[in-house]
Amino acid sequence: MSTTVIVLFLSIVLLTLFITWWAAKRTTTAGEFYTAGGGLTGWQNGLAIAGDYLSAASFLGIAGMIALFGFDGFFYSIGFLIAYLVVMFLVAEPLRNLGKYTLADMINSRFDAKKVRAAAAFSTITIVIFYMIAQLVGAGALIQLLFGIPYWIAVLIVGVMMTIYVLFGGMTATSWVQIVKAVLLMLGTVVIAVLVFARFDFSIMTMFSEVKTATAHGEAFLQPGLKYTVPLDTISLMLALVLGTAGLPHILMRFFTVKDAKTARSSVVTATWIVGIFYILTIFLGFGAAAFVGHEAIVAANPAGNMAAPLLAEALGGDLLMSFVSAVAFATILAVVAGLVLTGASAFAHDIYGQIIKKGQATQQQEMKAARQASLWVSVFSILLALGAQSLNVAFLVSLAFCVAASANLPVILYTIYWKRFNTTGALTAMLFGLISALVLVAVSPNVLSPEAGAAMFVGEPLFPLTNPAIVSVPLGFLGGWLGTILSKESDARRFAEVSVRANTGYRE
């Protein structure tokens, strides 16, 4: 542990705490707490979306996955990037026009039913918990590597930091922490990518030919099938990644932080460019780690490969670059978990407490108090779960969150916007079919049950053969919505016409 590491880490922490202090003075209403008062510009929100999306899974998980499994690891980069096209063309603009603070607000614009709002809030909290575990696992591994402190203490440190951001700064603090983190992350990634490319004489062909001989896998390293040997499993993973983003509540919530749909659309375009450039550069991170760090060193630092990027930075630029990259990774995790805590707290405080328990009569002060209390509970629960998930790859953990989002949220969002006959029963059955099927299939999959001790969370024979159940659970979500609508006799064509006009124009009476 060098002085450089300590100084850079403290600098990041102090910068984010200053942002929180600055934002706390500007957060007095529920609107400012949940959505920063809708005051972000397109480029600011685009950077914040990229900061929210480029999580520990992207920076630590994908780099490690490519370093260990070559082409199969790059599937994550492809899926995460293409997912933004679904968001941009199908979801961003209607969502901004229909919603207020949360995903449930958007769905409730058509179905004014407490049970639908409750199901949407529960789905949001479930996805947030899955995503939070991934970030905390990455944070624990990173701090454990750098400072030599126990994993559980590292997780607690991050848990305390993220709770402070949300409790005091709300969405304004979270957004600006994400903007700063996005800039730092892109800077660090570009520097590493250029250094790696320089080692290969700035030749793509040289890089590919040398990587083949740098790993024990040889030619197989550059071909699919090294990790995902079952084609159906690969398709299922890609389905979760491509469709999941459009159902992630903490990403969707960012569209409410701008003033109108036009700004929301421009922010997605900005985010797509940033995210696209980043994911192209993950090839250099992964191949560089495979060539200059080596399989054994990566696995020795973390069995799941989560420390490949910091180790590569050390190999290329010594302690200084490793310290900077690790500090950026830490900022990455802090920014994302703050956004997740805020999303989970908003689902509880605004949807469950404000709209269901208080029947829409809660004051702004009451909602903000409930949101801050919920932030604490979401943080504590996520920390406890993360303590038992140390051996899992963070990119894989995030893919499960994407699976739940694609299965439970996306069918309801698309049906609400585009299907005239869709009704309250259909909305409820779509969410329940998708959510329950995804959770049950994950619980009996090879990720949770394995005959080999240490290969999964529990020892046992898996009942479901695929590591990601999206290929089953996503169609079940759409099927549940269709069946619930067809088998019930509810219909409100006039409400759909109102929602359709508002979704496309943003007009409100």
Side-chain angles (χ1 to χ4, degrees):
M1 182 173 66
S2 68
T3 307
T4 311
V5 175
I6 298 172
V7 170
L8 283 171
F9 258 77
L10 287 178
S11 300
I12 292 290
V13 171
L14 289 173
L15 175 61
T16 53
L17 287 175
F18 173 77
I19 291 170
T20 305
W21 170 79
W22 169 80
K25 297 188 296 181
R26 290 160 174 77
T27 304
T28 55
T29 67
E32 289 166 345
F33 185 83
Y34 292 136
T35 62
L40 295 183
T41 64
W43 71 266
Q44 288 171 346
N45 198 45
L47 273 170
I49 291 171
D52 216 346
Y53 197 59
L54 299 176
S55 63
S58 298
F59 190 53
L60 301 178
I62 294 178
M65 197 75 83
I66 294 175
L68 297 181
F69 302 107
F71 186 87
D72 278 9
F74 191 57
F75 276 133
Y76 283 89
S77 293
I78 299 167
F80 285 150
L81 174 57
I82 293 173
Y84 257 95
L85 299 178
V86 179
V87 176
M88 184 162 58
F89 291 123
L90 297 179
V91 173
E93 191 172 343
L95 189 80
R96 172 62 189 83
N97 286 334
L98 293 173
K100 185 180 179 183
Y101 294 146
T102 65
L103 173 63
D105 279 336
M106 176 263 178
I107 298 169
N108 219 56
S109 65
R110 184 169 174 186
F111 311 112
D112 192 12
K114 289 182 181 179
K115 54 190 177 184
V116 174
R117 186 180 283 275
F122 180 70
S123 173
T124 293
I125 292 168
T126 303
I127 294 164
V128 163
I129 296 293
F130 262 119
Y131 220 102
M132 284 269 287
I133 295 169
Q135 308 311 312
L136 292 173
V137 168
L142 180 69
I143 298 175
Q144 185 181 24
L145 173 71
L146 289 175
F147 296 103
I149 61 177
Y151 171 80
W152 68 272
I153 295 178
V155 170
L156 284 178
I157 291 171
V158 179
V160 170
M161 289 293 299
M162 71 188 183
T163 309
I164 289 172
Y165 296 153
V166 177
L167 284 180
F168 297 105
M171 180 58 89
T172 304
T174 301
S175 296
W176 280 100
V177 168
Q178 287 164 344
I179 289 168
V180 170
K181 161 257 168 133
V183 173
L184 291 174
L185 180 62
M186 287 303 295
L187 178 63
T189 305
V190 168
V191 168
I192 297 175
V194 170
L195 291 175
V196 168
F197 207 27
R199 290 285 188 99
F200 293 117
D201 300 324
F202 295 101
S203 168
I204 293 287
M205 299 308 295
T206 302
M207 180 173 74
F208 275 81
S209 62
E210 287 192 21
V211 164
K212 283 190 292 187
T213 58
T215 72
H217 301 299
E219 289 274 358
F221 189 75
L222 300 178
Q223 297 172 4
L226 205 57
K227 178 175 175 61
Y228 298 104
T229 54
V230 181
L232 203 61
D233 210 0
T234 307
I235 295 171
S236 190
L237 169 68
M238 294 302 291
L239 194 65
L241 299 183
V242 170
L243 299 181
T245 301
L248 287 176
H250 67 290
I251 297 295
L252 300 180
M253 194 174 175
R254 293 232 56 93
F255 298 126
F256 304 133
T257 62
V258 294
K259 61 181 180 178
D260 54 32
K262 181 182 178 182
T263 314
R265 194 167 57 247
S266 71
S267 63
V268 178
V269 173
T270 302
T272 304
W273 274 102
I274 297 168
V275 167
I277 293 167
F278 175 84
Y279 283 128
I280 290 171
L281 296 179
T282 56
I283 300 173
F284 297 93
L285 268 61
F287 281 6
F292 307 126
V293 179
H295 185 281
E296 291 182 7
I298 294 170
V299 173
N302 181 269
N306 294 325
M307 291 300 101
L311 291 172
L312 173 62
E314 184 180 36
L316 296 174
D319 282 346
L320 180 63
L321 187 58
M322 184 193 184
S323 301
F324 176 73
V325 167
S326 300
V328 169
F330 186 60
T332 293
I333 293 164
L334 288 177
V336 174
V337 292
L340 290 166
V341 171
L342 182 60
T343 303
S346 301
F348 178 82
H350 179 67
D351 296 325
I352 297 175
Y353 175 78
Q355 299 297 319
I356 296 175
I357 297 175
K358 285 288 189 177
K359 300 178 181 177
Q361 302 302 311
T363 64
Q364 292 198 357
Q365 286 71 27
Q366 286 175 323
E367 269 199 33
M368 286 180 69
K369 183 179 178 182
R372 288 181 166 128
Q373 290 174 345
S375 300
L376 286 172
W377 288 111
V378 170
S379 299
V380 169
F381 189 56
S382 300
I383 288 167
L384 291 175
L385 290 176
L387 293 176
Q390 182 178 2
S391 63
L392 298 177
N393 181 278
V394 291
F396 155 71
L397 285 169
V398 164
S399 73
L400 296 184
F402 274 67
C403 175
V404 175
S407 306
N409 288 351
L410 185 62
V412 183
I413 293 169
L414 294 182
Y415 279 153
T416 298
I417 298 170
Y418 300 108
W419 189 19
K420 185 176 182 179
R421 287 190 60 184
F422 195 46
N423 56 33
T424 303
T425 305
L428 199 59
T429 52
M431 273 187 280
L432 293 178
F433 269 51
L435 181 62
I436 293 171
S437 63
L439 293 177
V440 169
L441 292 175
V442 165
V444 296
S445 72
N447 307 302
V448 178
L449 296 170
S450 175
E452 300 176 27
M457 296 178 73
F458 301 102
V459 177
E461 199 66 40
L463 304 178
F464 183 71
L466 305 181
T467 56
N468 194 303
I471 199 166
V472 176
S473 59
V474 172
L476 280 177
F478 280 98
L479 178 63
W482 181 79
L483 282 175
T485 301
I486 296 300
L487 297 178
S488 65
K489 296 181 180 179
E490 306 166 41
S491 180
D492 192 347
R494 184 175 176 275
R495 189 74 178 263
F496 173 75
E498 292 174 2
V499 166
S500 184
V501 170
R502 195 192 307 171
N504 287 288
T505 65
Y507 174 77
R508 294 172 187 263
E509 291 183 315

